[in-house]
Amino acid sequence: MFDFGFSELVVIGVVMLIVVGPERLPKVARTAGHLLGRVQRYVSDVKSDIQREMQLEELKKLQEQVRHQAQELEASVRTGVAGVESGIGETVSEVRSILPESPVSASTVAPAGAVAPSPAATPATSPAAAPVSVGNPPATPAAGVAVPTPQLELGLDSVPRTVAGADKVKA
């Protein structure tokens, strides 16, 4: 800041000695040292305050960036969820439109908890013997074979599924 050489400091000391006098010179030097220390502390406090303010501004900018990115992420997730919901809605409407075209009797559909009969219990039918229809699924399934409805395949059945043995408590 100031460029004082040794010779300049000697000149200032001699002038101070002449002006102030030898009795009061140590007291004046001590007071000048205290004032200089206060000025240095004040300057360092101001520097640290300015640095803190700069860091606070950087943190505010970073917080705003994170908030903006979170909003963008939320918007993209909402868009994705809306797309999935519309796809599911379209699938459900397609399934509902298919159901009236190929009615399945309730006696051939197994309930959600029922187990399909074993192949030994059902009569064997050869694939060549069954008529094949290209446009629509067969209206009547093979005897004893449970045909799941689209609701059951999609998990849209109203009967809640339970795991066998889940109600038993281990001792």
Side-chain angles (χ1 to χ4, degrees):
M1 190 161 122
F2 297 109
D3 189 21
F4 290 120
F6 182 71
S7 61
E8 287 136 356
L9 289 175
V10 169
V11 170
I12 291 173
V14 170
V15 170
M16 289 288 293
L17 183 63
I18 294 171
V19 172
V20 176
E23 306 100 34
R24 292 182 18 203
L25 184 61
K27 187 176 180 182
V28 170
R30 193 175 15 247
T31 305
H34 286 294
L35 290 175
L36 186 60
R38 285 183 186 172
V39 168
Q40 286 178 345
R41 282 191 298 274
Y42 177 73
V43 168
S44 68
D45 287 344
V46 169
K47 282 182 180 179
S48 65
D49 286 345
I50 290 172
Q51 188 176 13
R52 242 182 278 136
E53 287 295 324
M54 289 173 56
Q55 288 175 349
L56 183 63
E57 286 296 321
E58 289 175 8
L59 288 175
K60 285 182 180 178
K61 287 178 183 177
L62 181 62
Q63 182 183 15
E64 187 62 34
Q65 287 176 348
V66 168
R67 182 179 294 129
H68 181 68
Q69 289 174 352
Q71 288 173 349
E72 288 178 355
L73 179 64
E74 181 182 3
S76 67
V77 167
R78 288 183 190 268
T79 303
V81 167
V84 169
E85 286 177 348
S86 67
I88 290 174
E90 291 174 4
T91 304
V92 168
S93 64
E94 288 176 7
V95 167
R96 287 187 179 157
S97 68
I98 292 173
L99 283 179
E101 293 176 8
S102 61
V104 178
S105 66
S107 63
T108 60
V109 177
V115 178
S118 66
T122 57
T125 57
S126 67
V132 176
S133 133
V134 175
N136 292 327
T140 57
V145 176
V147 177
T149 62
Q151 286 95 353
L152 293 176
E153 289 176 3
L154 294 174
L156 300 175
D157 56 338
S158 62
V159 179
R161 297 178 187 243
T162 58
V163 178
D167 57 341
K168 295 179 183 176
V169 178
K170 292 184 179 179

Short mmCIF file of all heavy atoms in Angstrom, two decimals, residues 19-51:
data_model
loop_
_atom_site.label_atom_id
_atom_site.label_comp_id
_atom_site.label_asym_id
_atom_site.label_seq_id
_atom_site.Cartn_x
_atom_site.Cartn_y
_atom_site.Cartn_z
N VAL A 19 9.34 17.14 17.41
CA VAL A 19 8.02 17.75 17.59
C VAL A 19 7.41 17.34 18.92
O VAL A 19 6.91 18.17 19.68
CB VAL A 19 7.08 17.40 16.43
CG1 VAL A 19 5.66 17.85 16.69
CG2 VAL A 19 7.58 17.98 15.13
N VAL A 20 7.40 16.08 19.25
CA VAL A 20 6.70 15.56 20.44
C VAL A 20 7.59 15.69 21.68
O VAL A 20 7.11 15.98 22.76
CB VAL A 20 6.26 14.10 20.21
CG1 VAL A 20 5.63 13.51 21.45
CG2 VAL A 20 5.31 14.01 19.06
N GLY A 21 8.80 15.42 21.53
CA GLY A 21 9.71 15.48 22.67
C GLY A 21 10.02 14.10 23.18
O GLY A 21 9.27 13.14 22.95
N PRO A 22 11.16 13.95 23.89
CA PRO A 22 11.59 12.63 24.33
C PRO A 22 10.70 12.03 25.43
O PRO A 22 10.59 10.82 25.53
CB PRO A 22 12.99 12.84 24.84
CG PRO A 22 13.18 14.29 25.00
CD PRO A 22 12.14 14.98 24.18
N GLU A 23 9.98 12.82 26.24
CA GLU A 23 9.15 12.25 27.31
C GLU A 23 7.86 11.63 26.77
O GLU A 23 7.40 10.61 27.26
CB GLU A 23 8.72 13.31 28.35
CG GLU A 23 9.78 14.11 28.99
CD GLU A 23 9.95 15.49 28.37
OE1 GLU A 23 8.95 16.11 27.92
OE2 GLU A 23 11.08 15.93 28.31
N ARG A 24 7.26 12.28 25.81
CA ARG A 24 5.96 11.81 25.32
C ARG A 24 6.07 10.91 24.10
O ARG A 24 5.07 10.34 23.68
CB ARG A 24 5.11 13.04 24.98
CG ARG A 24 4.74 13.80 26.26
CD ARG A 24 3.86 15.01 26.03
NE ARG A 24 3.16 15.06 24.76
CZ ARG A 24 2.73 16.19 24.21
NH1 ARG A 24 2.96 17.33 24.81
NH2 ARG A 24 2.09 16.19 23.09
N LEU A 25 7.23 10.74 23.54
CA LEU A 25 7.39 9.92 22.32
C LEU A 25 6.97 8.46 22.54
O LEU A 25 6.26 7.92 21.68
CB LEU A 25 8.83 10.01 21.80
CG LEU A 25 9.08 9.28 20.48
CD1 LEU A 25 8.22 9.88 19.37
CD2 LEU A 25 10.53 9.32 20.10
N PRO A 26 7.35 7.78 23.64
CA PRO A 26 6.90 6.39 23.81
C PRO A 26 5.38 6.27 23.91
O PRO A 26 4.78 5.34 23.35
CB PRO A 26 7.56 5.94 25.11
CG PRO A 26 8.70 6.85 25.30
CD PRO A 26 8.32 8.14 24.65
N LYS A 27 4.72 7.21 24.60
CA LYS A 27 3.27 7.18 24.74
C LYS A 27 2.59 7.40 23.38
O LYS A 27 1.61 6.72 23.03
CB LYS A 27 2.83 8.25 25.74
CG LYS A 27 1.37 8.18 26.07
CD LYS A 27 1.01 9.21 27.14
CE LYS A 27 -0.47 9.11 27.43
NZ LYS A 27 -0.88 10.10 28.39
N VAL A 28 3.10 8.33 22.59
CA VAL A 28 2.55 8.60 21.26
C VAL A 28 2.75 7.38 20.35
O VAL A 28 1.85 7.01 19.58
CB VAL A 28 3.19 9.87 20.66
CG1 VAL A 28 2.81 10.03 19.19
CG2 VAL A 28 2.77 11.09 21.43
N ALA A 29 3.91 6.75 20.45
CA ALA A 29 4.19 5.57 19.61
C ALA A 29 3.24 4.42 20.00
O ALA A 29 2.72 3.71 19.13
CB ALA A 29 5.64 5.14 19.77
N ARG A 30 3.02 4.25 21.31
CA ARG A 30 2.11 3.21 21.77
C ARG A 30 0.68 3.48 21.26
O ARG A 30 0.00 2.59 20.76
CB ARG A 30 2.15 3.14 23.30
CG ARG A 30 1.51 1.93 23.87
CD ARG A 30 1.66 1.81 25.39
NE ARG A 30 2.09 3.01 26.06
CZ ARG A 30 3.28 3.15 26.68
NH1 ARG A 30 4.13 2.15 26.69
NH2 ARG A 30 3.59 4.29 27.28
N THR A 31 0.23 4.72 21.38
CA THR A 31 -1.12 5.09 20.91
C THR A 31 -1.23 4.89 19.40
O THR A 31 -2.24 4.38 18.90
CB THR A 31 -1.42 6.56 21.28
OG1 THR A 31 -1.24 6.73 22.69
CG2 THR A 31 -2.83 6.93 20.91
N ALA A 32 -0.20 5.26 18.66
CA ALA A 32 -0.20 5.07 17.20
C ALA A 32 -0.27 3.59 16.86
O ALA A 32 -0.96 3.17 15.92
CB ALA A 32 1.02 5.73 16.59
N GLY A 33 0.44 2.76 17.62
CA GLY A 33 0.40 1.31 17.39
C GLY A 33 -0.99 0.74 17.65
O GLY A 33 -1.48 -0.11 16.87
N HIS A 34 -1.66 1.20 18.74
CA HIS A 34 -3.02 0.73 19.02
C HIS A 34 -3.99 1.15 17.92
O HIS A 34 -4.83 0.35 17.48
CB HIS A 34 -3.49 1.29 20.37
CG HIS A 34 -2.87 0.63 21.55
ND1 HIS A 34 -3.09 -0.69 21.88
CD2 HIS A 34 -2.02 1.11 22.50
CE1 HIS A 34 -2.42 -1.00 22.97
NE2 HIS A 34 -1.73 0.09 23.37
N LEU A 35 -3.85 2.41 17.47
CA LEU A 35 -4.73 2.88 16.39
C LEU A 35 -4.49 2.10 15.10
O LEU A 35 -5.43 1.74 14.39
CB LEU A 35 -4.51 4.37 16.16
CG LEU A 35 -5.02 5.29 17.27
CD1 LEU A 35 -4.64 6.74 16.96
CD2 LEU A 35 -6.51 5.16 17.45
N LEU A 36 -3.23 1.83 14.81
CA LEU A 36 -2.91 1.05 13.60
C LEU A 36 -3.48 -0.36 13.70
O LEU A 36 -4.01 -0.90 12.72
CB LEU A 36 -1.39 1.01 13.38
CG LEU A 36 -0.92 0.35 12.10
CD1 LEU A 36 -1.46 1.07 10.89
CD2 LEU A 36 0.59 0.28 12.07
N GLY A 37 -3.41 -0.98 14.90
CA GLY A 37 -4.00 -2.32 15.10
C GLY A 37 -5.51 -2.33 14.91
O GLY A 37 -6.07 -3.24 14.30
N ARG A 38 -6.17 -1.26 15.43
CA ARG A 38 -7.63 -1.15 15.25
C ARG A 38 -7.99 -1.02 13.77
O ARG A 38 -8.95 -1.62 13.30
CB ARG A 38 -8.17 0.05 16.02
CG ARG A 38 -8.24 -0.16 17.50
CD ARG A 38 -8.85 1.03 18.17
NE ARG A 38 -8.80 0.91 19.63
CZ ARG A 38 -9.14 1.86 20.46
NH1 ARG A 38 -9.54 3.03 20.00
NH2 ARG A 38 -9.07 1.66 21.75
N VAL A 39 -7.21 -0.22 13.06
CA VAL A 39 -7.48 -0.04 11.63
C VAL A 39 -7.29 -1.37 10.90
O VAL A 39 -8.11 -1.74 10.02
CB VAL A 39 -6.55 1.06 11.04
CG1 VAL A 39 -6.61 1.06 9.51
CG2 VAL A 39 -6.95 2.41 11.58
N GLN A 40 -6.25 -2.12 11.23
CA GLN A 40 -6.03 -3.42 10.58
C GLN A 40 -7.17 -4.39 10.89
O GLN A 40 -7.63 -5.12 10.00
CB GLN A 40 -4.70 -4.00 11.02
CG GLN A 40 -3.50 -3.32 10.41
CD GLN A 40 -2.18 -3.90 10.93
OE1 GLN A 40 -2.15 -4.61 11.94
NE2 GLN A 40 -1.10 -3.58 10.24
N ARG A 41 -7.63 -4.43 12.16
CA ARG A 41 -8.76 -5.31 12.50
C ARG A 41 -10.03 -4.90 11.75
O ARG A 41 -10.79 -5.74 11.27
CB ARG A 41 -9.00 -5.29 14.01
CG ARG A 41 -8.03 -6.15 14.79
CD ARG A 41 -8.46 -6.33 16.23
NE ARG A 41 -8.51 -5.07 16.98
CZ ARG A 41 -7.47 -4.52 17.60
NH1 ARG A 41 -6.28 -5.11 17.56
NH2 ARG A 41 -7.61 -3.38 18.26
N TYR A 42 -10.27 -3.58 11.67
CA TYR A 42 -11.44 -3.09 10.96
C TYR A 42 -11.39 -3.50 9.49
O TYR A 42 -12.39 -3.96 8.93
CB TYR A 42 -11.55 -1.57 11.10
CG TYR A 42 -12.69 -0.97 10.34
CD1 TYR A 42 -14.00 -1.13 10.77
CD2 TYR A 42 -12.46 -0.26 9.16
CE1 TYR A 42 -15.04 -0.59 10.06
CE2 TYR A 42 -13.51 0.29 8.44
CZ TYR A 42 -14.80 0.12 8.90
OH TYR A 42 -15.84 0.65 8.19
N VAL A 43 -10.23 -3.36 8.86
CA VAL A 43 -10.07 -3.71 7.45
C VAL A 43 -10.28 -5.22 7.27
O VAL A 43 -10.97 -5.66 6.33
CB VAL A 43 -8.68 -3.27 6.92
CG1 VAL A 43 -8.39 -3.90 5.57
CG2 VAL A 43 -8.62 -1.77 6.84
N SER A 44 -9.74 -6.04 8.18
CA SER A 44 -9.93 -7.49 8.04
C SER A 44 -11.39 -7.88 8.28
O SER A 44 -11.91 -8.78 7.61
CB SER A 44 -9.01 -8.25 9.01
OG SER A 44 -9.41 -8.02 10.34
N ASP A 45 -12.09 -7.19 9.21
CA ASP A 45 -13.52 -7.45 9.41
C ASP A 45 -14.33 -7.10 8.17
O ASP A 45 -15.24 -7.84 7.77
CB ASP A 45 -14.05 -6.66 10.61
CG ASP A 45 -13.58 -7.21 11.95
OD1 ASP A 45 -13.09 -8.37 11.96
OD2 ASP A 45 -13.70 -6.48 12.97
N VAL A 46 -14.00 -5.97 7.55
CA VAL A 46 -14.71 -5.57 6.33
C VAL A 46 -14.45 -6.58 5.22
O VAL A 46 -15.37 -6.98 4.49
CB VAL A 46 -14.29 -4.14 5.91
CG1 VAL A 46 -14.80 -3.81 4.52
CG2 VAL A 46 -14.80 -3.12 6.92
N LYS A 47 -13.20 -7.04 5.09
CA LYS A 47 -12.88 -8.05 4.07
C LYS A 47 -13.66 -9.33 4.30
O LYS A 47 -14.21 -9.92 3.37
CB LYS A 47 -11.37 -8.36 4.08
CG LYS A 47 -10.51 -7.35 3.41
CD LYS A 47 -9.05 -7.81 3.44
CE LYS A 47 -8.13 -6.84 2.79
NZ LYS A 47 -6.72 -7.30 2.85
N SER A 48 -13.71 -9.79 5.56
CA SER A 48 -14.44 -11.04 5.85
C SER A 48 -15.94 -10.87 5.62
O SER A 48 -16.60 -11.79 5.14
CB SER A 48 -14.16 -11.51 7.28
OG SER A 48 -14.67 -10.59 8.23
N ASP A 49 -16.49 -9.67 5.95
CA ASP A 49 -17.91 -9.43 5.68
C ASP A 49 -18.20 -9.46 4.19
O ASP A 49 -19.20 -10.04 3.75
CB ASP A 49 -18.34 -8.07 6.26
CG ASP A 49 -18.46 -8.10 7.77
OD1 ASP A 49 -18.50 -9.21 8.35
OD2 ASP A 49 -18.53 -7.00 8.39
N ILE A 50 -17.32 -8.84 3.42
CA ILE A 50 -17.51 -8.84 1.96
C ILE A 50 -17.40 -10.25 1.41
O ILE A 50 -18.21 -10.67 0.57
CB ILE A 50 -16.47 -7.90 1.29
CG1 ILE A 50 -16.80 -6.45 1.63
CG2 ILE A 50 -16.46 -8.11 -0.22
CD1 ILE A 50 -15.74 -5.46 1.19
N GLN A 51 -16.45 -11.02 1.92
CA GLN A 51 -16.29 -12.40 1.46
C GLN A 51 -17.52 -13.24 1.83
O GLN A 51 -18.00 -14.03 1.03
CB GLN A 51 -15.03 -13.01 2.07
CG GLN A 51 -14.69 -14.37 1.51
CD GLN A 51 -13.38 -14.89 2.07
OE1 GLN A 51 -12.85 -14.37 3.05
NE2 GLN A 51 -12.86 -15.95 1.45
#
